[in-house]
Amino acid sequence: WSSDVCSSDPKKKIEEVTVEEKVQDLGSGVIQEAPGSYEDKIISIDGSLQATTVESEEWADARLLNESFRGSKLLTGVISGTETKTTDGQSAVLAVISFGNNTHRVYVPATEMFPVVKEIRDRSPEEAAIIQLRRCLGAEIDFMVTKPLIEEDNIAIASRVEAMRAKMLENYFAVNRWGTPVNRGRVLEPGMRVEARVMTVQNTYITCEVMGVDTDIPLLELSYTRMQDPHIKYSVGQRVAVRIKELEKDPEKGTVNLVCSIKDARPNPMRRNIHKYKEKDIFSGTVAGLTRSRIYVTLPDETTVSCRYPQREQVPLRGDRVSVKIMKIYPDTLKIDGLAASAASVIAMAG
C-alpha cells in the first residue's frame, strides 16, 4: 500500500478515485457499485456482495414491477390491508399488497380483485366486492401490474383479475393470454390433486383459488371428521391440497367452473385406523361437533366416534376433551359408536 492510501485524510483519497473505477480490489474486499454516491459503495467480504441496502431493495422491486407491466409477468404478494382513495369526488377501495421488500405500494382496486363477485343482499356489486375483499385480508394472490409505475411515490397499480385469467388459460386451456399454445403437459382434469390457496373462511365453506379459478368448498368436503367450524382447521393465506371432482370449461367464453374437495385429496383416516380399535376400549378425544342426538368425538389419529349423550353429566362443548368408550364397530360402513363422558367417569365406564 502506498503512503497516500493510509493518509490521515481518507476523504481526500476517496475524492481522487474516479467513478469509472467501479470495482477496486482492497485486500480481500471489493467496492461494488450500488445506487448512491461513490463514497457510499459497500466493501464486500469476498467479492460477492450479499448484504442489501434500501437502494438495492428498491431497485429490485422496481425491476420486477416493471417486468410485470411490460411483459405481463405474474407476481405474488399478500393482501395486507385496504385503503380508500378519493379522486375528483369519486372514492375507490384498494387492496394493499405486500410484495417483495415492501419498498413500493402495490394497489389492486376492489373491482380488479375477483373475476366473479358474490352477490350480497341489498348491496351493489361494488359494495359486495369491498366486503369480499376485506374477508381476504392475509390471502396470498398473484397479480399483474397494469399501469406504469408512479416512480416519485413508488406506487404500482395492479390487477388480480388479469393474473387469474392468464393462469386459468394456461392451466385449463393450455394457451397464454394471447391464445398461443403453451405445452406444459399438465392441463388440469377431473381427478387431479392440486395445491390451492385459501382465500376466505366462512362458517359453512371456504373459498380457494385453484390455479386461477376461485371455488367454494362446502363444510362436508373439508374433512372426514365432523367439523362445525372451518376456522378451527383452516385460515386465510393457508395452502391446501384439493382434488378436482368436477370441471366444466367453455373455450369460447374462456370460463371454468370447478367442484373441489379437500377431503378427497387424502386417504380416509377411518379406513386406515378402524382395525386398530376394539370394543370396550377407552380413549381420550376432542368434541368436534354436536347434533340433537349425537356427540362426534375425534381421536388423535383423526378417527371419529359417534357417541350418545352422557347420562347424569353436563353436556360437553365443542373443543372439550372427553373420554370415549368404544361400544360398537362397523368395519363395512367405517363407523364407530361410543359413549362419551368426562375424564372423571373413566373408571365407571371401564366397568
Side-chain angles (χ1 to χ4, degrees), residues 43-265:
I43 301 175
S44 75
I45 295 172
D46 53 10
S48 178
L49 185 63
Q50 298 183 33
T52 61
T53 65
V54 172
E55 295 87 353
S56 66
E57 291 176 347
E58 184 175 327
W59 179 86
D61 284 354
R63 178 177 62 83
L64 291 173
L65 292 167
N66 276 311
E67 286 179 2
S68 177
F69 172 67
R70 293 169 182 165
S72 301
K73 178 177 181 175
L74 301 190
L75 301 176
T76 302
V78 174
I79 304 174
S80 60
T82 62
E83 291 184 11
T84 302
K85 300 287 186 181
T86 302
T87 305
D88 298 329
Q90 299 291 324
S91 63
V93 174
L94 309 173
V96 181
I97 309 302
S98 176
F99 163 75
N101 300 298
N102 289 310
T103 62
H104 288 66
R105 202 72 158 173
V106 179
Y107 290 118
V108 175
T111 53
E112 287 294 319
M113 183 60 68
F114 308 103
V116 178
V117 177
K118 292 185 175 73
E119 294 184 2
I120 299 178
R121 186 177 179 181
D122 298 329
R123 300 283 186 167
S124 68
E126 293 77 14
E127 291 174 325
I130 293 169
I131 294 171
Q132 196 169 332
L133 168 60
R134 288 173 177 161
R135 291 172 176 172
C136 294
L137 290 177
E140 182 185 58
I141 66 166
D142 293 320
F143 63 89
M144 186 183 298
V145 178
T146 56
K147 295 182 179 180
L149 266 62
I150 306 174
E151 295 183 358
E152 59 270 22
D153 297 319
N154 280 3
I155 289 176
I157 305 299
S159 170
R160 177 176 179 254
V161 170
E162 290 297 320
M164 293 272 284
R165 176 170 174 76
K167 287 182 64 179
M168 178 193 67
L169 291 174
E170 184 173 348
N171 288 291
Y172 296 93
F173 297 98
V175 297
N176 61 22
R177 60 200 301 257
W178 297 282
T180 305
V182 179
N183 183 16
R184 297 179 59 187
R186 64 168 204 177
V187 175
L188 300 182
E189 298 175 351
M192 288 185 172
R193 290 195 299 174
V194 185
E195 186 177 41
R197 293 166 169 155
V198 177
M199 297 297 298
T200 66
V201 180
Q202 301 300 308
N203 291 333
T204 58
Y205 67 92
I206 69 173
T207 301
C208 289
E209 186 245 304
V210 184
M211 296 293 186
V213 178
D214 284 338
T215 186
D216 294 340
I217 303 180
L219 203 60
L220 291 177
E221 294 296 335
L222 296 181
S223 175
Y224 285 103
T225 59
R226 175 73 60 154
M227 182 181 295
Q228 289 185 321
D229 184 3
H231 295 85
I232 295 174
K233 190 170 183 179
Y234 300 102
S235 58
V236 174
Q238 184 180 354
R239 290 192 178 191
V240 294
V242 305
R243 190 178 298 279
I244 300 175
K245 299 179 69 174
E246 298 178 21
L247 190 161
E248 295 181 2
K249 54 185 178 181
D250 187 332
E252 294 184 1
K253 296 181 179 179
T255 58
V256 173
N257 293 312
L258 297 176
V259 175
C260 294
S261 172
I262 293 177
K263 178 177 71 175
D264 290 352

